[in-house]
Amino acid sequence: MAKSTAAFDEKIEISGDGQDFTIAVKGGFDFGGDKGTLAVDFPGGAISHMDEVFANNRVYVRGAAGMDGAWGVIGRDKAEANYLLRAPLNDPEHVLRQLSGLHKISKEETEQVNGVPAVRYHGLLASDALTSRVSAKLRAEVGKLSDLVGDAVPMYADTWVDAQGRLVRARLRCDLGQGHVAVTVAFTDHGKAVRVSVPEEPIPVSSASGVLTG
């Protein structure tokens, strides 16, 4: 996956305090070329749509809070996540890094995914899945959660791998008693070319906030 391309279709489900939210992230990504485009949608949110372009080790964002419709740009390595199990600016490669720390893995049944058979593997996520590239505020909140529930916040993941060894679906989940965060990603169109158009004259920003940005 790290050397190929794929279409990326992610659903982020957040539940807690009697409320449920769903955020959708869709696009195409060239993992080998470190480039791609994403559309982020949050129906009913104060800001319901955002566009992102990844190219040249930068992330171009349109629709984030305070941008007034203009394109902003931030260094890809400067972006941080502000919410549990989210990727900084929805970076698809971050999801692969989270999954790379999967341990205590068990091989489960073969299931149909996108019309093809795929083997499901179940395992536990490493603790840094919640702390890698996150804001100081979120890191402190994770520390408080660990104090409440024990040494490790309960996190696990399932991955589905097809006969060619390609990741075709992943599901990451963190359960916190009365609430949970679940991230489900479908990977399709493996190997299909991804074309990117870099926005002209973006406004440099030092950070990007809001639930759409992760």
Side-chain angles (χ1 to χ4, degrees):
M1 284 291 294
K3 298 179 181 180
S4 187
T5 67
F8 183 85
D9 189 342
E10 178 180 52
K11 181 171 68 173
I12 302 158
E13 300 167 284
I14 305 166
S15 175
D17 297 326
Q19 296 181 305
D20 299 293
F21 304 96
T22 300
I23 299 170
V25 183
K26 297 183 180 182
F29 211 85
D30 182 339
F31 295 94
D34 293 322
K35 62 182 181 179
T37 60
L38 299 176
V40 188
D41 289 286
F42 181 23
I47 299 177
S48 59
H49 179 81
M50 184 177 74
D51 297 301
E52 295 181 288
V53 174
F54 290 72
N56 306 318
N57 202 33
R58 297 179 176 90
V59 186
Y60 302 82
V61 182
R62 181 176 62 186
M67 294 304 298
D68 296 324
W71 283 97
V73 62
I74 184 173
R76 190 178 180 188
D77 58 345
K78 302 297 183 183
E80 295 180 328
N82 296 286
Y83 300 93
L84 290 176
L85 276 190
R86 296 292 301 277
L89 286 173
N90 305 295
D91 192 334
E93 287 192 348
H94 189 76
V95 176
L96 298 186
R97 285 193 289 269
Q98 288 174 314
L99 293 172
S100 69
L102 208 59
H103 61 285
K104 295 186 178 179
I105 300 170
S106 60
K107 183 178 180 180
E108 307 295 333
E109 66 272 19
T110 298
E111 302 173 6
Q112 291 291 315
V113 178
N114 302 322
V116 299
V119 179
R120 180 169 67 91
Y121 295 89
H122 179 79
L124 300 179
L125 286 167
S127 59
D128 63 2
L130 282 185
T131 57
S132 175
R133 292 188 62 194
V134 303
S135 65
K137 180 180 178 181
L138 179 56
R139 191 180 300 274
E141 291 175 352
V142 171
K144 292 178 182 178
L145 284 173
S146 298
D147 292 340
L148 289 173
V149 301
D151 292 336
V153 177
M155 302 181 298
Y156 49 91
D158 292 274
T159 61
W160 287 259
V161 180
D162 69 9
Q164 299 180 57
R166 302 177 304 189
L167 182 66
V168 293
R169 180 188 291 166
R171 183 172 173 83
L172 299 77
R173 187 177 175 102
C174 177
D175 287 320
L176 300 169
Q178 298 299 315
H180 75 265
V181 179
V183 178
T184 305
V185 189
F187 298 94
T188 57
D189 294 336
H190 292 267
K192 186 176 180 179
V194 173
R195 293 178 174 81
V196 171
S197 179
V198 177
E200 297 182 0
E201 300 182 357
I203 301 171
V205 296
S206 58
S207 63
S209 61
V211 68
L212 292 185
T213 64

